[in-house]
Amino acid sequence: TEVKKHGEIPGSMHAPRGMLEFFIDPDSPYHRIFFSEEKTFIFYCTVGWRSVLAAKTVQDMGIEKVAHLIGGFDAWEASREQCS
């Protein structure tokens, strides 16, 4: 998977784009209680293309506090390397 290949941001939760709607929908057998919590959700993928689509989908499903990481995991990792 992408997480195994590229890594992940500590404390993040993996939600494959193809399962996102199922994870969010409380009536789905795949619902994740994590998405029912009152918090801001920040989505990311490797370069930021799928995450912007995921953020839009989540907003359309009624979750208001949503963002995505511009540049994705690659940009996050590069910024960490610059700070080291």
Side-chain angles (χ1 to χ4, degrees), residues 15-18 20-21 24 35 40-45 48-70:
R17 178 62 196 92
L20 191 57
E21 291 88 344
I24 292 168
F35 285 110
T40 299
F41 295 93
I42 303 170
F43 291 89
Y44 73 92
C45 60
W49 298 350
R50 284 170 310 207
S51 61
V52 74
L53 297 175
K56 172 72 168 109
T57 297
V58 169
Q59 286 177 321
D60 290 348
M61 292 183 75
I63 296 177
E64 295 178 10
K65 296 180 180 178
V66 177
H68 88 100
L69 183 60
I70 295 172

Side-chain angles (χ1 to χ4, degrees), residues 15-28:
R17 178 62 196 92
M19 290 298 293
L20 191 57
E21 291 88 344
F22 297 108
F23 285 179
I24 292 168
D25 183 356
D27 294 328
S28 166

Side-chain angles (χ1 to χ4, degrees), residues 69-81:
L69 183 60
I70 295 172
F73 182 81
D74 289 350
W76 176 81
E77 191 169 50
S79 71
R80 279 186 19 153
E81 291 171 0

